[in-house]
Amino acid sequence: MENSTEESHLRSENSVTYESPYPIYGMSFSPSHPHRLALGSFIEEYNNRVDILSFHPDTLSVTPHPSLSFDHPYPPTKLMFHPRKPSPSSSSDLLATSGDYLRLWEIRDNSVDAVSLFNNSKTSEFCAPLTSFDWNDIDPNRIATSSIDTTCTIWDIERTLVETQLIAHDKEVYDIAWGEARVFASVSADGSVRIFDLRDKEHSTIIYESPHPDTPLLRLAWNKQDLRYMATILMDSNKVVILDIRSPTTPVAELERHRGSVNAIAWAPHSSTHICSAGDDTQALIWELPTLASPTGIDPVCMYSAGCEINQLQWSAAQPDWIAIAFANKMQLLKV
Amino acid sequence: MATPPPNNSLQTMLRAAVQSVQWTYSLFWQLCPHKGILTWGDGYYNGAIKTRKTVQAMEVSTEEASLQRSEQLRELYESLSGGETNAKTRRPCASLSPEDLTETEWFYLLCVSFSFHPGLGLPGTAYARRQHLWLSGANEVDSKTFSRAILAKTVVCIPVLEGVVELGTTDKMEEDLNFIQHIKSFFIDQQHPALTAKPALSEQYSTSKPTSSSSSYPLVTANNTIPIQNIVDRGEAIILNNNTKEAELAVPNSSFIPSELMELDATLEEFRVGSSGDGSNHLDSFPTEKSMALCSAGLELLQLQLPPAPAHPPTENLAQGGTDTHYSQTVSSILQKNSRRWPESPSLNLLTDSFQSAFNKWNSGADDYQHHFHVSVASVTSQWLLKYILFSVPYLHTNWLKGKGTSPYETSHVMAERHRREKLNERFLILRSMVPSVTRMDKASILGDTIEYIKQLRDKIESLEARKRLTGKRRMRQVEVSIIESEALLEVECVHREGLLLDLMTKLRELGVEVMMVQSWVKDDGVFVAEMRAMVRENGNGIKASVIEVKNALNQIIPRHEPYTLASSDHF
């Protein structure tokens, strides 16, 4: 009891908890507004919400902005702020959401406007449902989306048009990530990680296939501090697979200290050798990748235990000392 | 007696002394009143520096560097020998590590862990006798016994105040009384005025020098002639120290000499206790043996080199054992701490600080448990929300669209791919229905069975063609006869010979078959063909010839092989 009290006391000084009126899935830190955070609700209906919060590290508190909340059709499968400030003179922020369409929202001081709606279907007024997307931080005019129709679509944000569309995989594409201005990678239900180069659209490179046939790969994260490495997770697996794009098919490491399936992964924005993972075992683990492979396996550097399954994880690039996790209807900010 | 001077003053004196003679180090062994032993009081290191660690980018003078080094060496010793609490304390980046030391520095560092009982070791002996001891060529003496020579080739111990001053150098120096007086001058100002008798003692000492040239030799040299001279020398010293009893000592002069001789014997025995070599090893046993053992980086080597403990008076034995145990524990502690500390990853500390982070350090105890943990994560609730987002949410849109009554979403390339797959599947089904023996339903099996079936068909074709060729050969000899009431139709096909047709017609006449019309020809390949139409008449008995009779009769006439032909020629 005494230890629990003391631990709680310590924890209250290095973490912040926000309780939402509804379950949370989508999350995003704003790079241009360091204290801004977007949360997407997870309600299995048409009507869903996106909330904008402000985080205050000095007072360890989180403030919601009701005037900046807006309705969103269906649960957003991904939220992401513009990787840079849209324009130096403007104080507004751009937020992209994916779901039935790719949508662009402008977050102003006291209001939110729906800016654009992207449709990639030429024969229908409806877009193929999107599972995820990534905003190119080198060329912010590009967003890449992944879809259940086996395609990846590259969008021109200003002209609201399809720049290109590729049949990326044999089955549904579940996640996508940019590596460079014209290079992206995707994971699919067919169990493969593929890298595409927009300068050579006829070819793609398979750099990993899951060991069991047809085991889907669900999430993908590309190490922005060291582009040679990326990480992926498998369905119903406690592994975080670390890949080196220079040696396809053989992982450089498999991190398996979770006691349940992994739901989310994120590389450290300021370190090339650290990655965070969170899963059904209610734990968020921070790992440090060694320079040499260890035969006995790699242990995490440190861990955090939440109350229930952690579904989402974001590592703030503007404030690398903070990690955000989402579980049930709670969002927690953890000091690293 | 005089109060021991404060540490700063003591270090100042040590520094001034060692710098004035440019030796490697100076130490002060201070008597602990409670324990009655000499312990490390303070020191100054004036030797070579291997790795200089300083926060300031500025250059510092040599003197400041040496002073800084002495303090750093002391801090390093304290951190290495400290407990767990010290290990957690974050040391400044300029702190030393064991790998930053030269061998000389290492020797100096180890002196901190020593203590001496009066009468034991070089400092203890000097203190007990209140006389200086000059050990010269120590490395040469010790190299006979140990694999590595010590680095302090010359060690001098001088009793002053309430302790002993020790100086060491890596150069070999012969005993020099002026040196002793020079060093003493740095400490003599602090002495009590009552001790002004010391100068008189010194004068007496120097006066006796011309008459005793043997005193310039090393004190510890084992020489037959030296002990006698030493006896006389020490006797004089004792007399001088007890001025008030001079007359009393003069009376039993004859008994004095034997007493000194016995004392010398005891001293020699004491010297030999430490090692099997020269007695001098005992005086130098603590710093020399231990430091060399450590330099050899082996605790076992240390134990091996130490001779078995001989029989001792109880107090001395305890003191001896205590010192050895103390040293082993010190070395073990240092080695353990070093092995734990060096591999520590700096980035780990850089990334997270347990006191500020919400994350806890990964528990290595749990690591053992993890190794035995077999993750079985496939369950209904595994990755539930993530799967829902990826697998179900995209299809919510379709339901919604259908709910609106709009035409369902359709993608051309997906449909094209679907059509292609349906066509392939359909054709596989057709192929399966055409192949009689199908083992399994999968496409690979269907293809395999089809290949086998085609092979069978090819074999069958070859078999039939072969059979056809055989049938053709049998037709080379053939007779066909058909009789309807009185009319007969005959066909003959055989190898031709001369006169065959006439023979056939003659035979038929004998059977009552009268030929009415004949067509016959010979093919290019020598085959005779005849078609005949005839009337069948009753013979004398009123019976007509049967088909079999006619056929058998003709078969006897048509040629079978060459001998038959020859027979026919004879007939002709």
Side-chain angles (χ1 to χ4, degrees), chain A residues 238 257-261 281 283, chain B residues 362 366 369-370 373 375 377:
Chain A
N238 74 325
R257 292 287 183 263
H258 276 289
R259 302 178 192 172
S261 300
D281 59 352
Q283 289 185 342
Chain B
W362 179 257
Y369 171 71
Q370 288 286 3
F373 186 86
V375 179
V377 296

Side-chain angles (χ1 to χ4, degrees), chain A residues 81-113:
Chain A
F81 278 99
H82 191 291
R84 302 182 198 165
K85 205 174 188 60
S87 60
S89 60
S90 170
S91 66
S92 63
D93 213 348
L94 281 180
L95 177 71
T97 66
S98 62
D100 52 349
Y101 293 93
L102 178 67
R103 302 165 189 264
L104 209 58
W105 314 80
E106 185 175 11
I107 315 294
R108 302 209 178 110
D109 293 336
N110 289 297
S111 64
V112 177
D113 286 336

Side-chain angles (χ1 to χ4, degrees), chain B residues 15-130:
Chain B
R15 180 178 74 179
V18 73
Q19 285 179 345
S20 67
V21 295
Q22 286 299 310
W23 278 33
T24 304
Y25 71 91
S26 62
L27 306 171
F28 181 68
W29 301 104
Q30 179 170 352
L31 182 71
C32 180
H34 304 287
K35 299 179 183 177
I37 60 175
L38 294 166
T39 58
W40 199 89
D42 209 326
Y44 187 84
Y45 180 77
N46 195 44
I49 293 174
K50 178 184 179 183
T51 304
R52 189 185 301 268
K53 278 189 170 180
T54 176
V55 185
Q56 309 165 4
M58 301 168 49
E59 281 242 350
V60 294
S61 67
T62 304
E63 184 171 305
E64 289 172 359
S66 294
L67 180 61
Q68 195 176 73
R69 197 64 168 187
S70 303
E71 292 170 351
Q72 286 176 341
L73 287 167
R74 183 62 192 272
E75 288 169 3
L76 175 58
Y77 173 79
E78 288 174 346
S79 69
L80 290 177
S81 61
E84 192 65 24
T85 304
N86 286 345
K88 284 187 172 178
T89 304
R90 187 176 296 277
R91 300 166 60 211
C93 60
S95 295
L96 295 180
S97 298
E99 64 269 20
D100 298 324
L101 305 186
T102 61
E103 288 177 332
T104 317
E105 290 169 312
W106 188 251
F107 176 85
Y108 173 87
L109 182 81
L110 289 178
C111 293
V112 183
S113 69
F114 278 86
S115 61
F116 301 93
H117 285 260
L120 294 179
L122 213 58
T125 304
Y127 182 84
R129 298 182 179 186
R130 307 303 302 177

Side-chain angles (χ1 to χ4, degrees), chain A residues 132-184:
Chain A
S132 186
F133 71 93
D134 194 20
W135 207 323
N136 194 316
D137 56 343
I138 300 174
D139 185 353
N141 192 45
R142 280 202 185 98
I143 287 183
T145 59
S146 55
S147 173
I148 59 172
D149 67 356
T150 76
T151 67
C152 293
T153 306
I154 313 300
W155 303 89
D156 184 320
I157 299 303
E158 286 182 0
R159 297 187 296 161
T160 322
L161 292 176
V162 172
E163 178 182 325
T164 191
Q165 189 174 28
L166 306 170
I167 301 177
H169 288 267
D170 299 336
K171 294 186 177 179
E172 297 91 336
V173 189
Y174 288 142
D175 206 356
I176 190 167
W178 289 102
E180 301 180 40
R182 295 180 181 175
V183 176
F184 67 89

